[in-house]
Amino acid sequence: MNGELKGKKIGLFIPCYINAVYPEVGIACYKLLKSLDLDVDYPLDQTCCGQPMANGGFEEKSLPLAERFEQLFLKYDYIVGPSASCVAFVREFHPEILGKEPHECHSVQYIYDIAEFLHDIVKPEHFASKFPHTVSLHNSCHGVRELGLSSASEQTVPYFNKVRALLEKVDGITVKEPERIDECCGFGGLFSVEEPEVSGCMGHDKVRDHMSTGAEYITGADSSCLMHMQGVIDREHLPINTIHFLQILTANL
């Protein structure tokens, strides 16, 4: 464990859709942090961060949720969650939603996606996991362009990818990336509801791009993107599956 984390308390933020649809990802996040000898607490009365309301044009409806989130996690030194999308919403939009009056937003200063927390703060040298498979890494839009989990292809900057760097600390794994390295999968939350045909075509193209790497799995840091692509895979009976990168890091825990 990074010495700077000794005595620090971590509040685990599990987004509502992960809690309801992918609880195994939340469990993997908790198990991994505990395995790294970190002091982790999961507040049982947490709820939605307010992103669906704000994205739908009802930002005022997300205010009480933002206030609740702020108070619930106030006592923690770090807030960590397994969803780039939800973490980005808290970091980027909670300060504005919480009001124009002088306000020091605790959450925005201390919230991290689990990938950036592991890569930037914990900095483990190795994970006690084995995953003898080839995976194709999906870079979600929020992760790339709001949290900086990887370099963006439209920018002239040196390549980096924090999720890939973590995965490569797992024994037996082979990590590849598709040709269109950070092209959207087409989910986009409400976009997939309002433009289902376009969303479905984008998902089909993205899955095919991942399959061209020869991978057995598509992996990434956002369950929402993986869910969208798994839907394409299931409908088209394609020979590939999705798996959250935390499930790979905890494969032997």
Side-chain angles (χ1 to χ4, degrees), residues 26-40:
I27 293 169
C29 188
Y30 179 81
K31 286 172 63 177
L32 181 58
L33 292 171
K34 291 294 288 185
S35 74
L36 295 170
D37 198 30
L38 297 170
D39 187 3
V40 187

Side-chain angles (χ1 to χ4, degrees), residues 129-135 167 170-175 215-217 243 247-248 251-252:
S129 180
K130 292 182 180 179
F131 198 77
H133 302 283
T134 300
V135 303
L167 287 170
V170 172
D171 288 340
I173 196 168
T174 300
V175 183
E216 301 163 74
Y217 295 92
I243 184 172
Q247 293 173 281
I248 296 175
N252 293 92

Side-chain angles (χ1 to χ4, degrees), residues 101-177:
E101 297 299 319
H103 172 78
E104 183 179 356
C105 187
H106 173 84
S107 301
V108 71
Q109 300 177 66
Y110 301 104
I111 190 165
Y112 291 85
D113 175 76
I114 181 64
E116 61 180 343
F117 184 69
L118 291 171
H119 185 276
D120 299 349
I121 306 298
V122 184
K123 302 177 183 178
E125 295 183 1
H126 189 258
F127 293 102
S129 180
K130 292 182 180 179
F131 198 77
H133 302 283
T134 300
V135 303
S136 184
L137 180 55
H138 179 72
N139 303 302
S140 67
C141 299
H142 284 96
V144 175
R145 295 177 178 86
E146 291 192 318
L147 297 183
L149 296 186
S150 67
S151 51
S153 59
E154 70 274 11
Q155 296 180 343
T156 308
V157 297
Y159 171 87
F160 70 90
N161 193 306
K162 297 178 182 180
V163 178
R164 179 168 192 150
L166 294 169
L167 287 170
E168 288 178 341
K169 297 179 185 294
V170 172
D171 288 340
I173 196 168
T174 300
V175 183
K176 297 186 177 182
E177 291 180 81

